[in-house]
Amino acid sequence: MPSRAELGRTGDVRLAAVLLAAIVAAMLPLLRVVAAGTWLVVAIAIAASVLLVGIALRRLRSPAVVVTLAELVTACALVTAVYFGDTALLLVVPTPGTFAEVPSLVAGASEQIVNGVAPLAAERPLAVVAVAAVAALTVLLDHTVITARMPLLAAIALVAVWLIPALSVPAPVDLIAFVVFAAAVLLLVRAETRSRERALARSIATTSAAEARQRGEAEPRRSPVRSSAVLAASLAVTAIVATVIVTPELPRPAPRVGIGTGPATTINANLELGDDLRRPTDVEVLTTRTNAPNMPYLRAATLSSFDGRVWEPDRDETTPLTPEALGPVVADPDVRVTEYQTTVSITQLSSAWLPVPGPAVRVDDLSGAWEAMPSNRTVVAADAVTQGQEYVTTTHVVRPTLEQIQAAGTTGEGLPDTVTQLPADMPAVIERTAREITATAGNDFDRLAALQRWFRSAEFTYSLDAPVSDGFDGSGVEAIADFLEVRSGYCVHFASAFAVMARTLDMPSRIVVGYLPGTLSGRVVDGESVATVLSSQLHAWPEVYFAGIGWVPFEPTNSLGTPATYARSTQPLPDDGGQDVPPAPAPQQTATVAPDGGRTPTPTASTGVGGDTGESALTVALPYGGIVLAFAALVLLPALVGAARRRWQTRAAESGDVLAAWRIVRESARDIGVRIDDAETPRALGIRLAAVPTVPADRIDALVAAVERTSYGAPGDQREAATGRAAASDALAVRRGLLASVSTPRRLGAVLLPRALVRA
């Protein structure tokens, strides 16, 4: 057998090239989490440099430990040169000043990961961490694949890297990225297997020829070395398909804190709400009670940037949440502003975004560290969780009269460009339809009201299924054009179409993700009615900015919610339980971030979704049962693959490949913990195994003799079929003896977790 050092020098260039391709294929989906930039080029360059150093040292026959240490030093030096050159000695040697920067960089990267919204901008802290992680991964995989020759173990690490975007930013599987990654992993396994086969063939040929010459015999015939590439490829395909396609479809119970009857939900701020709304299990996520006349909408995140394909959540500056962090509501002096208080109790919601009524000016009684985003009056977690929270939100609701909002008009003054931008290649049907629907309106509010009435008319229907079957379960301009033709969709389609059409009419708009007001439960706490909000009431709606009023919400989604209504100035002011407060004056200079307007309270209405499901205990238990079964299948997968591998080897042996039978013995011995030396001859290993009391000595001796005859015998003197069948029977008998020689726990470990799967 070839030594590990000889294997390391066999096909190392090809292996390193394939390994680099696999690393790049695993990294590319990370661009959904971290925006592409210089860091990606630097990471790939450092990975290639590390692999080149490994190739050079192996050609010099350096020990494996020296190769790995040299690669670590190279990676550290290159990262230092790129990101810490100003504090390093000779540009590449870290100094105490260099190490002093590391904690703050790691803390900065952690904060950006926790509080940021994907895709994250690769600022220096995050870039340093990402590049250093890729460099460390390269060293680890180089040692695993080229030195230790365990490509399947490396494939597991690559799958973990590939899965990061799927777990961090839920989205449909990117088929192209999956095919590229799967091909790279299979190519890596195949390249390692081929290099092992070549090294083994050369070793057998050299040893056989030398021994034959010493005995004066004819040159030994070469025994065909059957490739295990098919089995390795099958294992890799099974693992990748199960991990990438099956796993995301399994129900994911979130942490359960306090009471609850089902899995907690989360808030997806990327307008990919379809899968969440189509969950088979509808659960209570929170309850609300308020002194306002009607239950409020709960806002979690706003999305202003639209590139024609996706809406991006706002990434404005945040500040620690204090009583003054959100700031006052700005409106014209003659516009009425009323203060209300709402208590929110989270029951089953795990999210970085905190649902709050709008426009919030204060949030009290939260536990943990939270950040406020004053530009859109949202609250995000800094070092806290939403699950189990109960908090009180103070809102200042801007309540213009109908005449005031009609006279105000929309404006983009003082707002960022993101709220008005449109893609250049937008389908003409969107703007044409917007202008047709609003042609008879005399002011901006009436135009928007006309759009709202059109969407909520009988021409449109609410559906969670129709858009999916037609292939436009999205919010881009192509999906909007299809939606305007089919006229069937859910809140994402209605909100996105309304916001884009408003922009075509030169009105600044954005989208809010949050929850509908919920449904009254009949309970009363401290004189306030309690409403229940369900997971199916996750919602998206548009807002448009009006001068002197702020951001005004609209409700275009057909059959859900109730549009805001505005009283005329001649109608008396109702006493609805709130307290009127003076609005804050507008700043003298143009603000860089727009103040947030409010929503006029609307009558509570049944939403028609997510009512009492009346689900049985069996319905609730089924998702968890599926997880248990999936976990059991995952635990048994190595044993099943090991059994399939032995079955394949047995058939190969029965067909005349005696070396396949010998591989059964070697792998069985390794499975129970026997040390196997690649340089050890079959005769020497057979003597060691024959000393085990439960191993039949005659069977091991017969198998060793068959292996030697196959390797060194003259061509044509073997009855291959008969010899193979006998060898297969002997190998299985030896395996049974080896398993019987160890304790029950070790025997179970050998069957359930065969070591041969990661080290052939």
Side-chain angles (χ1 to χ4, degrees):
M1 294 290 179
S3 67
R4 197 164 295 281
E6 291 171 338
L7 281 173
R9 292 188 296 271
T10 303
D12 53 350
V13 176
R14 182 183 295 104
L15 267 179
V18 175
L19 178 58
L20 179 62
I23 292 173
V24 173
M27 286 171 52
L28 288 180
L30 285 173
L31 300 182
R32 285 163 48 188
V33 178
V34 182
T38 307
W39 74 271
L40 182 61
V41 178
V42 172
I44 296 174
I46 291 179
S49 301
V50 167
L51 294 173
L52 286 174
V53 169
I55 292 173
L57 291 178
R58 289 186 181 94
R59 292 300 172 91
L60 296 175
R61 299 181 179 273
S62 302
V65 65
V66 173
V67 174
T68 301
L69 288 176
E71 290 176 337
L72 283 173
V73 171
T74 301
C76 181
L78 291 175
V79 172
T80 302
V82 174
Y83 294 107
F84 301 95
D86 52 344
T87 61
L89 180 64
L90 299 178
L91 193 65
V92 297
V93 181
T95 63
T98 303
F99 290 112
E101 289 187 63
V102 174
S104 61
L105 288 174
V106 173
S110 300
E111 182 179 0
Q112 188 177 2
I113 292 171
V114 171
N115 297 328
V117 178
L120 302 170
E123 300 173 356
R124 184 170 180 264
L126 186 57
V128 172
V129 171
V131 171
V134 171
L137 177 68
T138 303
V139 175
L140 174 65
L141 294 180
D142 177 272
H143 182 86
T144 303
V145 175
I146 302 180
T147 299
R149 292 296 170 141
M150 294 188 287
L152 294 181
L153 188 60
I156 294 174
L158 290 169
V159 168
V161 174
W162 200 90
L163 272 177
I164 290 176
L167 298 178
S168 302
V169 184
V173 174
D174 187 336
L175 184 60
I176 296 178
F178 169 69
V179 170
V180 171
F181 175 69
V185 171
L186 295 179
L187 185 60
L188 178 64
V189 175
R190 178 58 177 166
E192 194 281 333
T193 304
R194 290 294 298 273
S195 66
R196 182 188 292 271
E197 291 174 354
R198 293 191 185 97
L200 180 61
R202 285 197 297 268
S203 176
I204 292 176
T206 302
T207 303
S208 301
E211 293 182 358
R213 284 194 298 270
Q214 290 177 0
R215 296 195 301 267
E217 298 176 356
E219 286 288 322
R221 66 184 178 91
R222 294 187 178 183
S223 174
V225 181
R226 292 181 179 266
S227 170
S228 61
V230 174
L231 179 64
S234 301
L235 177 61
V237 168
T238 301
I240 293 171
V241 170
T243 304
V244 175
I245 295 181
V246 177
T247 301
E249 298 303 322
L250 294 176
R252 304 175 186 174
R256 299 185 63 174
V257 180
I259 61 173
T261 60
T265 60
T266 188
I267 296 175
N268 189 336
N270 293 82
L271 278 194
E272 296 167 352
L273 310 183
D275 291 338
D276 293 325
L277 293 172
R278 286 187 290 268
R279 285 174 180 260
T281 303
D282 198 13
V283 299
E284 176 189 282
V285 294
L286 57 89
T287 62
T288 61
R289 54 187 176 89
T290 182
N291 65 345
N294 303 292
M295 293 298 171
Y297 279 59
L298 300 173
R299 53 196 296 116
T302 61
L303 301 88
S304 301
S305 178
F306 181 61
D307 62 2
R309 187 175 58 89
V310 295
W311 289 84
E312 294 290 345
D314 294 336
R315 300 182 182 84
D316 298 331
E317 183 178 354
T318 60
T319 183
L321 182 63
T322 63
E324 297 78 24
L326 291 169
V329 167
V330 176
D332 285 346
D334 57 343
V335 176
R336 185 185 183 193
V337 177
T338 306
E339 179 178 289
Y340 300 102
Q341 286 192 336
T342 302
T343 301
V344 181
S345 299
I346 305 292
T347 53
Q348 290 289 345
L349 177 64
S350 178
S351 171
W353 309 88
L354 187 73
V356 295
V361 295
R362 180 168 177 162
V363 181
D364 294 304
D365 301 336
L366 281 171
S367 60
W370 295 86
E371 299 279 335
M373 194 178 295
S375 62
N376 58 12
R377 299 187 182 277
T378 58
V379 179
V380 296
D383 185 14
V385 293
T386 55
Q387 189 73 19
Q389 297 277 359
E390 182 172 283
Y391 49 97
V392 178
T393 302
T394 302
T395 57
H396 285 179
V397 179
V398 182
R399 308 174 68 183
T401 64
L402 179 61
E403 290 84 359
Q404 285 174 329
I405 197 170
Q406 288 176 330
T410 61
T411 178
E413 184 178 356
L415 300 178
D417 293 338
T418 53
V419 299
T420 57
Q421 289 175 343
L422 287 170
D425 54 347
M426 191 173 63
V429 65
I430 299 176
E431 181 175 359
R432 183 176 66 250
T433 303
R435 297 197 178 278
E436 289 175 357
I437 299 301
T438 62
T440 60
N443 56 71
D444 287 347
F445 175 77
D446 288 348
R447 293 185 185 93
L448 295 170
L451 276 179
Q452 182 174 253
R453 286 193 301 271
W454 181 62
F455 281 121
R456 296 181 65 86
S457 70
E459 295 190 40
F460 285 83
T461 58
Y462 181 90
S463 172
L464 289 172
D465 300 319
V468 181
S469 62
D470 287 344
F472 59 94
D473 194 10
S475 57
V477 290
E478 297 298 332
I480 293 173
D482 291 340
F483 168 66
L484 293 179
E485 178 181 355
V486 178
R487 300 189 179 183
S488 179
Y490 55 95
C491 60
V492 168
H493 300 100
F494 285 96
S496 183
F498 187 98
V500 171
M501 294 170 83
R503 291 189 182 185
T504 65
L505 300 175
D506 301 321
M507 303 180 189
S509 64
R510 67 185 184 188
I511 292 177
V512 183
V513 173
Y515 284 100
L516 288 161
T519 306
L520 291 176
S521 65
R523 293 190 294 122
V524 177
V525 177
D526 295 336
E528 297 174 347
S529 297
V530 177
T532 296
V533 177
L534 304 176
S535 56
S536 61
Q537 291 175 306
L538 187 64
H539 193 49
W541 64 91
E543 291 183 333
V544 179
Y545 191 79
F546 281 76
I549 297 174
W551 288 102
V552 174
F554 289 83
E555 183 53 280
T557 302
N558 194 294
S559 78
L560 293 188
T562 303
T565 57
Y566 300 91
R568 293 186 176 275
S569 58
T570 56
Q571 295 175 323
L573 297 178
D575 182 9
D576 52 17
Q579 178 181 356
D580 287 350
V581 296
Q588 295 298 318
Q589 296 180 348
T590 301
T592 57
V593 179
D596 200 344
R599 179 182 184 87
T600 300
T602 58
T604 301
S606 174
T607 61
V609 294
D612 186 7
T613 59
E615 58 193 11
S616 64
L618 178 61
T619 303
V620 174
L622 280 177
Y624 297 98
I627 293 178
V628 171
L629 291 176
F631 181 77
L634 185 63
V635 170
L636 294 176
L637 181 61
L640 296 175
V641 174
R645 178 184 177 87
R646 283 190 302 278
R647 181 60 180 165
W648 175 83
Q649 291 171 334
T650 301
R651 289 181 177 177
E654 291 173 348
S655 300
D657 185 0
V658 175
L659 292 183
W662 184 243
R663 282 194 291 273
I664 294 176
V665 172
R666 286 174 55 86
E667 293 173 5
S668 299
R670 179 176 285 122
D671 288 344
I672 66 170
V674 176
R675 183 183 60 82
I676 301 296
D677 189 351
D678 291 336
E680 189 174 25
T681 64
R683 175 66 58 182
L685 178 58
I687 293 173
R688 285 203 293 133
L689 298 182
V692 178
T694 55
V695 173
D698 57 332
R699 306 295 287 271
I700 189 69
D701 290 340
L703 181 56
V704 169
V707 172
E708 291 178 338
R709 286 196 304 271
T710 299
S711 300
Y712 310 129
D717 66 353
Q718 304 297 323
R719 291 173 298 174
E720 292 187 353
T723 301
R725 286 192 295 272
S729 177
D730 291 338
L732 295 177
V734 171
R735 173 178 171 79
R736 289 191 294 270
L738 289 171
L739 292 175
S741 69
V742 296
S743 63
T744 300
R746 180 174 290 186
R747 185 162 55 252
L748 289 175
V751 173
L752 295 177
L753 294 172
R755 301 183 184 184
L757 293 184
V758 295
R759 185 181 176 188

